[in-house]
Amino acid sequence: MIIERAEVIVTSPSRNFVTLRLTTDEGLIGLGDATLNGREHSVVAYLQEHVVPLLIGMDAHRIEDTWQFLYRGAYWRRGPVTMTAISAVDVALWDLKAQAAGMPLYQLLGGASRKGLLAYGHASGNDTEELFDSIRHHLERGFRAIRVQTAVPGVRAVYGVPHDVTVSNGVRSQEYEPASRGAYPAEEDWDTRAYLRHVPTVFGAVRTEFGPELPLLHDGHHRMTPIQAASLGKSLEPYDLFWLEDCTPAENQEALRLVRQHTTTPLAIGEVFNSVWDYQGLIREQLIDYVRSSVTHTGGITHLRRILDFAAQYQVKSGMHGPTDISPVGMAAAMHLGLAIHNFGIQEFMPHSAKTNSVFAQSFTWKDGLLHPGEQPGLGVTLDVDEAGKYPYEQAYLPFNRLADGTVHDW
């Protein structure tokens, strides 16, 4: 099965997506997600100028050898651009191999380890009423676990909370897109002390309203120092969180030792990581409970499977990144991998827009709070090239933060 054509397709139906499309001499088409939010063209150039010329004439069945060739052969290793490009190739090759075998990808990964994937939705609000409405909205849509994000008094804009919530026919819109289109990123403000005072009161109100059984999650989005993160984790212990995510920038792996010493709140880390080396100490020392990396940004199914197999030795589970900056191709890859591994924890899930779904046809199902990738051979995703062409790339940036004195802060 020889690769005859490799195309990099950029489309922006609701946000920018980069897709690698491989075609073989047998007429099979494999897809890989190469989207790196806010830096999409960096991966496009990496693929088009450096990787695509190497793929033509390759045996598409040689997934492991191709992975090692692209990782070790380039000399310059790791990093989000390199690993996202490798991921796109890897996932496209797995898609092709599963199609050639006539079975859904998860079967090639060892078969299903569960009926479906527990997924969590994103609830948010500018006040308690909006937040409760958002939680109820997600429960009505079938979610059985909820991430809770809230505005903070005195802070103009907070990650995960839409600035303007529209209402149509009595239903509040829950769509949220942090990447603003334009020539310069939006500037937001931040006050950690106000945040630390406010968040525990919010979770107290949510538990009072919705009871003790509903799994609740929260994302700190790298904004705290280690001691601040430890303080928040401890203050949230009475509310029994499923996890506290990205409580502090984890490039400094030793920081999680301090957090772990002071709180039993479960910790999830890693959506900005891209290799097993980012996790080595965190997993070995059992400083985290969930791996947050995505297939898209972490070297594909081949490499993320290695990370999760390593994590399984320490009872650390998966919590794969899955908002709408992961295309339907990347989400399908996550579902197949999550269905097959033993140490699955939970899957992040933000439904894509109708425009995105018109570009990417998908076979997954959503029932009783569980995702399933479906039974179509391969990933179960097809790309409508003509439809994709209706939505050209638009420059977009994620926001950035400044403190009250003007200092740039973690976002």
Side-chain angles (χ1 to χ4, degrees):
M1 187 167 62
I2 303 302
I3 299 171
E4 286 193 338
R5 188 163 67 252
E7 305 160 272
V8 181
I9 297 169
V10 181
T11 184
S12 189
S14 297
R15 63 186 308 158
N16 294 315
F17 297 113
V18 181
T19 307
L20 178 66
R21 187 173 186 259
L22 302 182
T23 305
T24 73
D25 58 346
E26 300 174 4
L28 296 177
I29 294 174
L31 302 178
D33 183 14
T35 307
L36 187 62
N37 196 14
R39 296 294 185 270
E40 296 90 353
H41 276 176
S42 298
V43 188
V44 171
Y46 193 104
L47 285 168
Q48 288 181 334
E49 297 177 18
H50 304 291
V51 175
V52 163
L54 303 173
L55 299 177
I56 306 305
M58 273 191 172
D59 182 352
H61 281 304
R62 299 183 64 173
I63 297 176
E64 178 66 24
D65 183 66
T66 301
W67 196 98
Q68 298 296 342
F69 171 62
L70 294 176
Y71 181 80
R72 299 179 187 277
Y75 185 68
W76 308 106
R77 302 180 184 181
R78 303 167 60 189
V81 174
T82 294
M83 297 304 281
T84 300
I86 291 175
S87 173
V89 177
D90 184 78
V91 170
L93 294 179
W94 277 109
D95 189 15
L96 289 169
K97 185 180 281 287
Q99 289 181 56
M103 60 180 61
L105 175 55
Y106 75 84
Q107 294 288 9
L108 289 189
L109 300 176
S113 292
R114 55 198 48 81
K115 295 184 295 184
L117 309 174
L118 177 66
Y120 70 89
H122 293 188
S124 65
N126 289 291
D127 55 33
T128 302
E129 179 184 357
E130 276 190 10
L131 177 60
F132 285 3
D133 283 350
S134 181
I135 293 173
R136 292 188 187 100
H137 172 74
H138 282 81
L139 293 174
E140 289 166 0
R141 292 169 66 189
F143 285 98
R144 290 163 28 189
I146 307 289
R147 191 189 78 167
V148 173
Q149 304 298 127
T150 177
V152 176
V155 179
R156 288 181 290 110
V158 177
Y159 162 77
V161 182
H163 301 294
D164 300 304
V165 179
T166 59
V167 179
S168 176
N169 298 322
V171 178
R172 294 176 183 270
S173 170
Q174 304 301 326
E175 293 185 7
Y176 171 66
E177 173 47 68
S180 57
R181 303 192 180 203
Y184 198 79
E187 179 179 321
E188 298 180 350
D189 57 341
W190 184 246
D191 183 335
T192 305
R193 294 184 69 237
Y195 166 79
L196 292 175
R197 290 193 301 269
H198 183 62
V199 168
T201 68
V202 171
F203 276 88
V206 171
R207 277 289 179 229
T208 298
E209 180 70 16
F210 294 95
E213 298 300 324
L214 179 63
L216 300 177
L217 305 86
H218 181 67
D219 186 357
H221 224 247
H222 315 104
R223 292 179 170 184
M224 289 164 277
T225 65
I227 197 65
Q228 290 168 341
S231 175
L232 179 62
K234 191 172 184 64
S235 68
L236 291 174
E237 285 177 11
Y239 310 113
D240 186 27
L241 266 63
F242 187 96
W243 78 33
L244 172 61
E245 177 186 347
D246 288 337
C247 57
T248 190
E251 293 95 328
N252 173 17
Q253 298 194 8
E254 293 182 1
L256 273 296
R257 294 178 187 166
L258 188 151
V259 179
R260 199 62 136 177
Q261 288 170 1
H262 292 281
T263 181
T264 57
T265 296
L267 302 176
I269 288 289
E271 71 179 48
V272 298
F273 288 174
N274 53 72
S275 86
V276 69
W277 306 108
D278 296 313
Y279 285 103
Q280 190 176 36
L282 298 177
I283 291 173
R284 187 179 60 245
E285 297 185 39
Q286 301 179 75
L287 301 179
I288 61 173
D289 302 280
Y290 296 92
V291 167
R292 281 285 291 135
S293 283
S294 65
V295 173
T296 298
H297 302 137
T298 318
I301 289 169
T302 296
H303 191 62
L304 187 53
R305 178 69 182 262
R306 291 192 184 107
I307 295 173
L308 293 172
D309 285 345
F310 173 47
Q313 299 178 62
Y314 299 93
Q315 296 179 293
V316 175
K317 296 184 177 182
S318 73
M320 283 177 262
H321 185 61
T324 50
D325 65 353
I326 304 298
S327 86
V329 175
M331 274 299 298
M335 291 184 211
H336 283 280
L337 181 58
L339 195 66
I341 60 174
H342 178 259
N343 57 323
F344 172 80
I346 199 168
Q347 175 63 54
E348 183 176 18
F349 175 45
M350 288 184 70
H352 285 100
S353 70
K355 287 182 179 179
T356 297
N357 292 335
S358 73
V359 173
F360 299 92
Q362 303 153 70
S363 65
F364 81 93
T365 60
W366 168 247
K367 183 179 180 181
D368 298 328
L370 301 178
L371 291 166
H372 192 286
E375 300 299 333
Q376 289 186 14
L379 286 172
V381 181
T382 57
L383 172 66
D384 186 329
V385 176
D386 292 335
E387 189 70 19
K390 297 177 182 178
Y391 306 105
Y393 171 82
E394 295 185 44
Q395 181 69 62
Y397 288 100
L398 292 170
F400 73 103
N401 275 343
R402 290 189 187 273
L403 303 179
D405 67 358
T407 303
V408 174
H409 191 61
D410 292 302
W411 187 86

